[in-house]
Amino acid sequence: MSDEKGDQAFRVTNETEMWTEMTYAGALSFLRRKYSRSLNGVDVVVSGIPYDNAVTYRSGCRLGPRAIRAGGAQLSELKHFPYGFDPFETLSVIDYGDCYLDPHMPLTIFDTIEAHADHILASGAKMLSLGGDHSVAYPLLKAHAKIHGPITLVQFDAHCDTWPDDGVRFDHGTMFDRAVNEGIVDASTSTQVGLRTYNDSDCGFDILTSPWIHRNGIDAAIEIVKERAGHNPVYLSFDIDGLDPAFAPGTGTPVSGGLASWQGMEFIRGLESLNLVGMDLVEVAPAYDHAEITAIAAATMAYNWLAVLAKKQGAQTHPVGRL
């Protein structure tokens, strides 16, 4: 009996290779990518940020990275839809594992995440970060801004996350106010997508609310995002609660009236022309999920971002059917 296949997460030697796996078995990494801390020649590093002490309602998204990895197991079974290619033949992607955090030293958390990102980004690789609560985007953005300068943020969310910040607090609802005030994020080129909670100020962002997108369509939203972003470095921060709870119940602060999962995927693929420098996918809380639908949606959003990067890097599409 041959034992050449299986458990590619730690047995494969080539980062661009994809083995056939039993979707219901084997060592889990994100999309079965190789677990590695070697950054040589790597295009994208996937890393979990398992932190949720900054939530304001239901906790549990510290378990998000694990759930998203499990939710993506089936995605590595076939070629990407709708592009019709294996993105990992073009794009070298590893799973770096999770950022090690000490929850009993809470004031060290943001510095630890920032240093973690600094190390990875110094290699020239991009980061795909799996949260964790949305506050982790702040230290991630700080690390990206050191390399790219002020960042254009494209935020997919039910909430603005720009409520007044005091510059000190650890809060998943205020960190983008801090990022704008510190010059990390350029609000004048940034867009918030899917919002359906109220703030007295737009903080300089263009806000495409969920009702507006329902009336005007995802294509119109994409065009506004692209026009504002221009050629600036774009970081996509995708809070899974941007989706309606019908599509993503497994999150800590669900809000009715959100977008559908298909709209999220169309949105990500529509950003191909932009200067994409990083992404996080946050707020998946599996204890509130049902049949992994939130984790599957989250993994699929992240997978589409990787596929877009592969396409930008030269992967040839082979679509089948009417798209």
Side-chain angles (χ1 to χ4, degrees):
M1 184 74 68
S2 171
D3 64 349
E4 292 180 356
K5 300 299 182 184
D7 291 329
Q8 64 185 302
F10 60 84
R11 294 184 59 228
V12 74
T13 58
N14 183 351
E15 286 82 2
T16 60
E17 189 176 1
M18 178 66 79
W19 289 1
T20 299
E21 290 265 8
M22 295 181 290
T23 54
Y24 50 85
L28 275 179
S29 60
F30 186 66
L31 300 173
R32 307 286 189 172
R33 295 296 80 210
K34 180 182 179 182
Y35 270 120
S36 177
R37 292 292 169 103
S38 173
L39 300 173
N40 295 330
V42 173
D43 296 311
V44 183
V45 171
V46 180
S47 183
I49 315 291
Y51 173 74
D52 67 358
N53 285 5
V55 298
T56 51
Y57 187 32
R58 304 188 303 198
S59 61
C61 55
R62 68 180 63 185
L63 299 175
R66 183 184 298 175
I68 296 168
R69 288 183 175 103
Q74 192 173 212
L75 292 173
S76 56
E77 185 179 19
L78 299 170
K79 293 179 180 178
H80 177 272
F81 176 85
Y83 292 156
F85 57 57
D86 175 358
F88 307 119
E89 290 180 352
T90 303
L91 203 67
S92 175
V93 180
I94 63 168
D95 191 324
Y96 196 82
D98 292 344
C99 177
Y100 186 82
L101 302 167
D102 187 346
H104 306 293
M105 297 289 288
L107 296 182
T108 68
I109 297 294
F110 281 5
D111 289 343
T112 300
I113 295 171
E114 184 179 349
H116 174 78
D118 285 342
H119 173 68
I120 291 170
L121 295 175
S123 72
K126 290 181 169 66
M127 284 189 74
L128 170 58
S129 302
L130 310 177
D133 72 49
H134 212 162
S135 73
V136 306
Y138 170 70
L140 291 170
L141 283 165
K142 285 184 70 176
H144 282 78
K146 291 176 189 176
I147 294 173
H148 301 286
I151 298 294
T152 292
L153 178 67
V154 178
Q155 175 191 349
F156 197 100
D157 210 317
H159 311 88
C160 63
D161 295 344
T162 54
W163 285 288
D165 181 77
D166 60 8
V168 178
R169 62 195 298 113
F170 284 52
D171 187 332
H172 74 160
T174 68
M175 69 287 172
F176 291 143
D177 181 62
R178 186 184 307 182
V180 171
N181 290 335
E182 293 181 354
I184 297 165
V185 165
D186 179 2
S188 70
T189 63
S190 299
T191 310
Q192 297 174 315
V193 179
L195 268 59
R196 51 198 185 275
T197 49
Y198 186 79
N199 188 1
D200 288 327
S201 169
D202 61 16
C203 293
F205 290 88
D206 197 349
I207 300 175
L208 307 180
T209 68
S210 182
W212 186 93
I213 294 171
H214 289 320
R215 291 194 305 270
N216 293 277
I218 197 69
D219 290 338
I222 290 169
E223 287 306 309
I224 290 171
V225 169
K226 289 163 63 175
E227 183 176 350
R228 278 178 70 83
H231 301 291
N232 299 306
V234 173
Y235 184 95
L236 176 60
S237 191
F238 198 111
D239 187 326
I240 201 64
D241 71 25
L243 300 182
D244 190 86
F247 301 92
T251 191
T253 49
V255 182
S256 293
L259 303 186
S261 53
W262 72 264
Q263 291 174 305
M265 287 180 254
E266 288 283 316
F267 181 87
I268 292 172
R269 292 194 294 266
L271 301 182
E272 179 188 340
S273 65
L274 299 182
N275 178 18
L276 305 174
V277 299
M279 177 183 182
D280 63 58
L281 195 299
V282 298
E283 298 282 356
V284 173
Y288 313 109
D289 207 0
H290 175 73
E292 294 185 291
I293 60 174
T294 308
I296 291 168
T300 307
M301 300 302 165
Y303 183 37
N304 273 276
W305 188 75
L306 291 176
V308 167
L309 296 184
K311 190 167 181 277
K312 289 170 68 71
Q313 198 158 299
Q316 298 298 306
T317 62
H318 304 282
V320 174
R322 298 190 186 190
L323 301 173

